[in-house]
Amino acid sequence: MGRLVMKFGGTSVANIDRIRNVARHVKREVDAGHDVAVVVSAMAGKTNELVDWCGDASPLHDAREYDAVVASGEQVTSGLLAIVLQGMGIQARSWQGWQIPIRTSDAHASARILEIDGSEITTRFKDRKEVAVIAGFQGINPQTNRITTLGRGGSDTSAVAIAAAIHADRCDIYTDVDGVYTTDPRVVPKARRLDKIAFEDMLELASLGAKVLQVRSVELGMVHNVPVFVRSSFDKPEDIDPHGTPPGTLICSEEEIMESHVVTGIAFSKDEAQISLRQIEDKPGVAAAIFGPLADANINVDMIVQNVSEDGKTTDLTFTVPASDYNRARDTITSSKGKIGYARLDSATDVSKVSVIGSGMRSHAGVAAKAFKALSERNINIRAITTSEIKFSVLIDAAYTELAVRTLHTLYGLDQA
Ligand code: ADP
Ligand code: ASP
Ligand code: MG
């Protein structure tokens, strides 16, 4: 007998039929004797709809009210799953974030979990074998008593945090693919499923665009040493042996991984915007004049490239920001134009970032150089580059994203045999 957290994403609870399917997965684990806490997302598309409604109601809305609205999707699915489980004769109770409580910071729309009191849930495991059905994505700020949400994709983080709080043996993330692949299998059909991936590599994949897990959930798994297993909710519940190993990907510490490749996977993100400032005077203090105001405006700058301007005397500075911050970034720079002193501002929003990830890069030289050559042979122009110990990223025209990902996937020997 063990203790499990089972998390089901939006497509897995998209309608009542899918919720019944989830209930059968839960029943399988309950019948096998496990204590089970389930974390659910909102029905597929629901959170997008709620976000859009807030925007329609007022483009500049109060983040506390945004959270009050968008947290509602998970309230519905947690209640519905509890109803279906009860109908199958399984003891079950739904829980919203504030009821547990899941205490978070007050950063509305991107709150961080501070503390979870799992005692009531575990007491109920012992006393009456009751399944806890928990609304993902939401919590409560203890100072203000207001509902918060954890950022898009945040139910993954709810699940791993709950697993840590109740000392679960494993956190199963059920989704619409049967594991973590070398790249998004919807874009590259030749992508290969990984049996295991190290937390470090998964962290990079997630932060560089692979949305299969929210970044924060991987961080929490790493810090609290929670084995996280990504698997499909589309496998028939009755066909799965609860004591066997189903298809999926285990996210675990580096030491547990036997075979290591130099490159683990490729991620991409179309959520990028590029800003280039032309003909800046090359003198101390200029970078501070540009990036200081952006930091003050809470805008995350990612890639930065500096090169000599056409005139050979001044310098050009290119950087990227998340597409959603593009307008604010442009306004921030324009209002500091006097201080920075640039001749022209060029920008592009039809760009994407393609990243190659692998902890094996630590001990191998020339991994990135191979990519630059392969991309140039495909006539793909690189606008900016960043590198770190275990990854490198290139900024390219968005139209070439799929071609670049496929090219690199083949180049690093990741294609399925
Ligand atoms: P859920 O609603 O279950 O949380 P998401 O849509 O958030 O599911 O995440 C699953 C999706 O992540 C998959 O459908 C897939 O298209 C995408 N994805 C991107 N990169 C990867 C990858 N490397 N491995 C697996 N899935 C990936
Ligand atoms: N429903 C939320 C979202 O779509 C949280 C999640 O599904 O993880 O972002
Ligand atoms: Mg998700």
Side-chain angles (χ1 to χ4, degrees):
M1 200 197 82
R3 186 169 284 178
L4 284 181
V5 170
M6 306 172 74
K7 181 260 170 177
F8 294 89
T11 39
S12 306
V13 293
N15 52 46
I16 302 292
D17 252 9
R18 298 291 309 147
I19 291 177
R20 286 193 204 289
N21 175 72
V22 163
R24 287 176 11 240
H25 279 290
V26 174
K27 182 174 187 317
R28 182 191 68 234
E29 303 294 0
V30 171
D31 288 350
H34 301 308
D35 291 336
V36 178
V38 188
V39 174
V40 285
S41 288
M43 290 181 180
K46 190 69 207 176
T47 310
N48 287 343
E49 182 182 53
L50 296 169
V51 170
D52 290 348
W53 284 353
C54 292
D56 287 351
S58 167
L60 281 178
H61 44 261
D62 184 327
R64 287 159 292 195
E65 302 312 336
Y66 166 94
D67 275 353
V69 175
V70 301
S72 65
E74 275 73 8
Q75 177 171 348
V76 172
T77 45
S78 56
L80 287 172
L81 178 58
I83 291 175
V84 172
L85 286 168
Q86 289 170 1
M88 292 163 73
I90 297 170
Q91 286 261 26
R93 184 60 61 211
S94 73
W95 299 85
Q96 292 176 52
W98 62 269
Q99 289 172 306
I100 291 184
I102 297 176
R103 299 192 180 93
T104 76
S105 69
D106 66 353
H108 285 277
S110 57
R112 287 169 80 92
I113 295 177
L114 304 173
E115 187 200 0
I116 296 179
D117 182 352
S119 56
E120 182 64 23
I121 289 174
T122 50
T123 304
R124 288 170 182 237
F125 284 161
K126 285 195 200 96
D127 292 352
R128 37 189 146 142
K129 265 289 177 205
E130 185 177 279
V131 173
V133 186
I134 300 162
F137 185 48
Q138 49 163 279
I140 185 168
N141 176 254
Q143 273 82 43
T144 60
N145 257 349
R146 301 221 59 97
I147 293 172
T148 53
T149 63
L150 309 177
R152 298 306 307 270
S155 295
D156 298 324
T157 301
S158 310
V160 178
I162 286 159
I166 64 170
H167 305 290
D169 299 300
R170 207 173 68 217
C171 180
D172 279 350
I173 305 281
Y174 288 81
T175 181
D176 54 5
V177 282
D178 61 358
V180 178
Y181 280 68
T182 45
T183 193
D184 190 339
R186 295 186 199 288
V187 172
V188 181
K190 283 185 193 159
R192 220 171 358 99
R193 191 181 66 225
L194 301 160
D195 289 334
K196 289 184 178 182
I197 181 170
F199 281 116
E200 288 82 354
D201 287 19
M202 190 64 232
L203 202 55
E204 295 287 357
L205 266 183
S207 38
L208 294 166
K211 69 167 184 168
V212 60
L213 285 176
Q214 200 198 31
V215 179
R216 187 80 188 116
S217 71
V218 187
E219 278 170 7
L220 283 180
M222 185 152 84
V223 171
H224 297 284
N225 226 338
V226 179
V228 177
F229 189 63
V230 178
R231 57 192 293 184
S232 172
S233 73
F234 287 75
D235 295 335
K236 233 177 139 213
E238 291 73 20
D239 292 348
I240 299 170
D241 171 4
H243 303 291
T245 310
T249 303
L250 181 71
I251 302 152
C252 55
S253 65
E254 223 167 315
E255 297 81 63
E256 287 175 64
I257 296 176
M258 294 299 186
E259 54 163 349
S260 97
H261 297 275
V262 177
V263 171
T264 310
I266 294 169
F268 56 90
S269 157
K270 294 184 177 170
D271 172 40
E272 308 290 323
Q274 174 189 334
I275 295 180
S276 296
L277 304 180
R278 307 291 179 200
Q279 297 179 7
I280 309 169
E281 212 187 315
D282 200 1
K283 61 169 194 217
V286 169
I290 298 170
F291 298 116
L294 290 171
D296 293 342
N298 244 328
I299 296 170
N300 255 331
V301 174
D302 180 18
M303 306 169 117
I304 303 176
V305 181
Q306 187 173 356
N307 48 278
V308 179
S309 306
E310 274 163 356
D311 62 14
K313 286 179 255 159
T314 52
T315 186
D316 286 358
L317 204 132
T318 293
F319 58 90
T320 62
V321 294
S324 51
D325 287 336
Y326 167 68
N327 285 328
R328 278 195 319 123
R330 234 192 119 106
D331 292 349
T332 307
I333 294 294
T334 328
S335 49
S336 312
K337 184 173 183 193
K339 248 195 175 154
I340 306 167
Y342 57 87
R344 201 175 76 233
L345 185 154
D346 293 335
S347 55
T349 48
D350 51 350
V351 290
S352 71
K353 182 172 67 175
V354 176
S355 307
V356 175
I357 294 124
S359 26
M361 277 188 216
R362 273 194 204 111
S363 46
H364 283 81
V367 181
K370 259 172 87 173
F372 305 150
K373 182 159 175 282
L375 294 175
S376 76
E377 283 165 4
R378 296 276 186 292
N379 265 326
I380 300 174
N381 182 41
I382 300 174
R383 292 163 166 264
I385 301 170
T386 51
T387 63
S388 79
E389 214 183 7
I390 66 165
K391 60 112 185 165
F392 66 88
S393 306
V394 293
L395 190 74
I396 59 170
D397 289 351
Y400 293 108
T401 314
E402 279 80 11
L403 177 62
V405 173
R406 272 187 269 121
T407 302
L408 299 177
H409 198 266
T410 307
L411 179 73
Y412 293 111
L414 300 174
D415 289 353
Q416 233 172 43

